[in-house]
Amino acid sequence: MFILFLIVSLISSINAASIVSRSDSYPLSQPAVHGPKARITIGNRIIAPDGFKRSTTLVDGTFPGPLIMAQKGDHFDIEVVNKLEDDKMFELTSVHWHGIFQNRTNYADGTSFVTQCPITPNHSFLHSFSANGQAGTFWYHSHYSCDGVRGPLVIYDPHDPLGYLYDIDDASTVITLSDWYHHLAPDLRGQIARADSMLINGHGRYINGTHAELAVINIRPGRRYRLRLVQISCDSNVLFSIDGHNLTVIEADGVLTEPLVVDQLQILASQRYSVVLVANQPVDNYWVRSLPNTAGASYVNATNSAILRYEGAPEVDPTTVETPSTNPLLETNLHALINPGAPGTPGYGYADYNITLEVTAADLRFYVNNVTYQSPPVPVLLQILSGARDPSQLLPNGSVYVLKPNKVVELTVAIAAPGGPHPIHLHGHTFDVIQSAGSSIFNYVNPVRRDVVSAGNAGQQMVIRWVTDNSGPWFLHCHIDWHLEAGFAVVMAESPEDTGSHVSPVPYEWDRLCPIYDNYKGGLPEVAGGGLD
């Protein structure tokens, strides 16, 4: 087994080194990188990314976790090893590959108690899957707690139809944005959590904190950079901008868009954008800004900031001044580049399934159509493979929606609860955004296509469409981790009668997860919402 792991690690390093990306020989700082065949270890470590020391759960000891890089068409074999031992945090884990469709590999989606039992300490699970022609910006994260298991995943397309717009697209241009907490996630359950800082590429500062190191993004004059912005926060949404520079949006959540020039982007938790930055300003240092929606957030002490540094500029803090945005990103201005148009007959209510989910809240719990999501004792996929087909047979009661195959679903999520804007994510699919929250426009002709969309604040709604062409149970939930834990989720079970053949053969290692979990006696109780996503 040890020899096998050495071989896997060697293959991983070879694959990572051979990734085709658009770059040159200028020495930019490179984060840790894995290829599509890798072994990642989840363990505990004390770190201080904003100057405050705390224990965490990390992938390979780093935050964010190592970048996983692949080329379009690559097959992934990623073994997740659980070495957690700090009993003040969750010792169970699972890893979701956010944005990957997992067509025919629902069991590899990494969603505790929906598609698998969690991985217990000193055990592992091999996620083996293909991305079915996908390319773009994705990420991976734990379904347990908000203590650090999250990192970027990029699939490069050597024939990117928008490749003519940029020169450099490599590990150095992947930018992670993350809120950060000084308290352990289990200690924040059952209360309204507030982040202590915002990190950019794993670095940041907090109010009244130390003069901690800031992230630096190095660029050369005259070059065009594809920045892949990956919002890996547990809660906060941010306003992202770079002083003195416009940004051209070309991708949303792994789907190419028609190029759109903006000067600021609101990015919700779990959303991703690729933007092209042209290094056409005087050689200098410029503030990179990622202002969270936390009350009182500012740039005092260079909080919520990083540095964009041109080659030849001195290694000092920028002196640039923030100017009001005059051209912010509006989701309704984004349009899918390839095969635009929503599926089915245009018109609200004209789909095969027209479903409305009304979201309410009481006593720090969320309710979707009057039901708060609770983890079932057995994963939904295992229930289906064991013969359950009807909603009355599937647990959790009232939270599983059964859909027939190859049908158009039009889903409305109407918010009548606090805590917004709520980022809604559907596993197993991208969807067309028919109506964006806060907009009165219904677009069936050329809407943006993505996998996370804002459902807005109380009194607002969003409308999306997709086709049920991927048999299996797929989680649909708010991607604010604390809201998921508090019950803001449902399961869309697509054609359960076909799932057995669609995912066959199920790996033996997957079959072992639940018996091992059933025999596990240690650790904290499972998360009430079914695991944090």
Side-chain angles (χ1 to χ4, degrees):
M1 184 63 70
F2 178 70
I3 294 175
L4 175 61
F5 288 149
L6 286 177
I7 294 173
V8 168
S9 299
L10 178 61
I11 293 174
S12 174
S13 63
I14 293 172
N15 283 335
S18 64
I19 294 298
V20 173
S21 62
R22 298 172 182 271
S23 188
D24 58 19
S25 59
Y26 183 62
L28 301 174
S29 59
Q30 298 288 326
V33 175
H34 284 310
K37 308 207 181 280
R39 182 192 193 205
I40 61 175
T41 300
I42 298 177
N44 300 117
R45 186 183 178 191
I46 295 175
I47 62 172
D50 62 358
F52 181 91
K53 289 185 179 181
R54 56 152 294 182
S55 182
T56 59
T57 60
L58 301 177
V59 177
D60 292 349
T62 67
F63 185 84
L67 168 64
I68 296 176
M69 303 173 69
Q71 292 191 69
K72 187 176 181 179
D74 280 349
H75 185 87
F76 290 81
D77 287 301
I78 304 175
E79 180 159 23
V80 178
V81 181
N82 183 349
K83 289 295 184 181
L84 296 170
E85 56 186 12
D86 187 340
D87 62 7
K88 294 183 179 64
M89 292 178 287
F90 295 98
E91 294 181 288
L92 302 171
T93 195
S94 64
V95 174
H96 169 54
W97 314 98
H98 185 118
I100 305 300
F101 295 155
Q102 299 293 356
N103 198 304
R104 297 190 175 275
T105 52
N106 179 270
Y107 49 78
D109 191 50
T111 316
S112 293
F113 300 106
V114 177
T115 63
Q116 69 170 77
C117 282
I119 305 169
T120 57
N122 299 313
H123 289 91
S124 66
F125 178 60
L126 177 66
H127 292 259
S128 184
F129 57 89
S130 294
N132 295 320
Q134 291 181 265
T137 310
F138 310 94
W139 66 299
Y140 61 92
H141 53 88
S142 172
H143 278 255
Y144 276 90
S145 89
C146 196
D147 288 315
V149 179
R150 39 195 69 210
L153 187 158
V154 175
I155 302 176
Y156 292 91
D157 183 356
H159 306 293
D160 180 6
L162 294 179
Y164 67 93
L165 291 174
Y166 55 88
D167 307 306
I168 298 173
D169 176 25
D170 58 19
S172 72
T173 63
V174 177
I175 313 298
T176 60
L177 312 171
S178 177
D179 57 13
W180 190 252
Y181 299 79
H182 294 170
H183 294 279
L184 305 183
D187 296 336
L188 294 173
R189 291 185 296 174
Q191 57 182 285
I192 298 176
R194 291 286 182 265
D196 293 288
S197 62
M198 173 62 59
L199 309 180
I200 300 177
N201 280 354
H203 297 281
R205 296 174 185 170
Y206 65 97
I207 296 295
N208 300 322
T210 61
H211 201 68
E213 178 183 358
L214 297 178
V216 177
I217 303 166
N218 295 290
I219 60 173
R220 293 182 71 181
R223 300 305 175 105
R224 302 169 302 167
Y225 293 82
R226 178 175 180 165
L227 305 181
R228 295 178 182 264
L229 309 177
V230 190
Q231 226 286 40
I232 62 175
S233 290
C234 299
D235 183 342
S236 305
N237 72 77
V238 301
L239 296 177
F240 181 88
S241 62
I242 300 178
D243 286 359
H245 295 76
N246 285 324
L247 303 168
T248 301
V249 181
I250 61 171
E251 176 208 353
D253 298 351
V255 182
L256 294 176
T257 67
E258 294 179 1
L260 178 69
V261 178
V262 302
D263 62 9
Q264 184 185 78
L265 301 88
Q266 182 185 34
I267 314 177
L268 275 62
S270 78
Q271 290 184 325
R272 293 91 62 210
Y273 288 102
S274 279
V275 297
V276 176
L277 177 143
V278 180
N280 58 4
Q281 297 301 303
V283 170
D284 206 344
N285 295 290
Y286 296 82
W287 284 120
V288 178
R289 302 180 186 273
S290 182
L291 188 70
N293 60 322
T294 307
S298 70
Y299 301 111
V300 173
N301 189 35
T303 55
N304 309 308
S305 303
I307 299 171
L308 181 78
R309 177 166 293 150
Y310 277 71
E311 181 186 18
E315 295 186 4
V316 296
D317 283 356
T319 58
T320 55
V321 178
E322 181 188 25
T323 57
S325 171
T326 59
N327 188 27
L329 172 65
L330 298 177
E331 188 176 62
T332 51
N333 289 338
L334 285 175
H335 306 291
L337 179 69
I338 299 172
N339 298 324
T345 304
Y348 187 62
Y350 290 176
D352 298 313
Y353 287 99
N354 300 284
I355 302 171
T356 297
L357 302 179
E358 183 177 6
V359 180
T360 56
D363 300 324
L364 295 179
R365 295 292 302 177
F366 284 89
Y367 295 82
V368 180
N369 288 352
N370 299 315
V371 179
T372 188
Y373 184 84
Q374 297 277 358
S375 292
V378 176
V380 181
L381 177 58
L382 181 55
Q383 295 177 50
I384 291 172
L385 295 180
S386 300
R389 299 287 185 271
D390 190 83
S392 63
Q393 301 172 312
L394 290 166
L395 300 175
N397 285 325
S399 292
V400 181
Y401 292 73
V402 174
L403 306 171
K404 293 183 179 179
N406 301 311
K407 301 295 183 182
V408 176
V409 179
E410 184 168 86
L411 177 72
T412 301
V413 178
I415 302 298
H422 297 276
I424 306 301
H425 173 47
L426 173 64
H427 292 217
H429 292 275
T430 52
F431 45 72
D432 288 274
V433 181
I434 306 303
Q435 182 188 26
S436 296
S439 171
S440 60
I441 298 172
F442 286 75
N443 183 359
Y444 293 90
V445 177
N446 60 350
V448 66
R449 187 173 296 137
R450 60 187 319 163
D451 62 45
V452 181
V453 64
S454 172
N457 298 296
Q460 297 180 327
Q461 69 173 33
M462 65 76 173
V463 180
I464 60 176
R465 276 194 180 188
W466 78 93
V467 177
T468 58
D469 57 3
N470 191 4
S471 181
W474 302 108
F475 220 13
L476 184 142
H477 60 89
C478 179
H479 221 294
I480 294 174
D481 285 356
W482 317 112
H483 296 180
L484 171 57
E485 180 181 345
F488 193 160
V490 297
V491 176
M492 296 291 171
E494 296 185 13
S495 57
E497 67 277 5
D498 300 325
T499 300
S501 58
H502 191 70
V503 303
S504 180
V506 175
Y508 170 71
E509 291 83 0
W510 181 86
D511 279 329
R512 295 179 63 244
L513 287 173
C514 286
I516 293 172
Y517 167 74
D518 289 340
N519 289 327
Y520 176 71
K521 303 301 181 183
L524 290 162
E526 69 187 55
V527 178
L532 291 177
D533 192 0

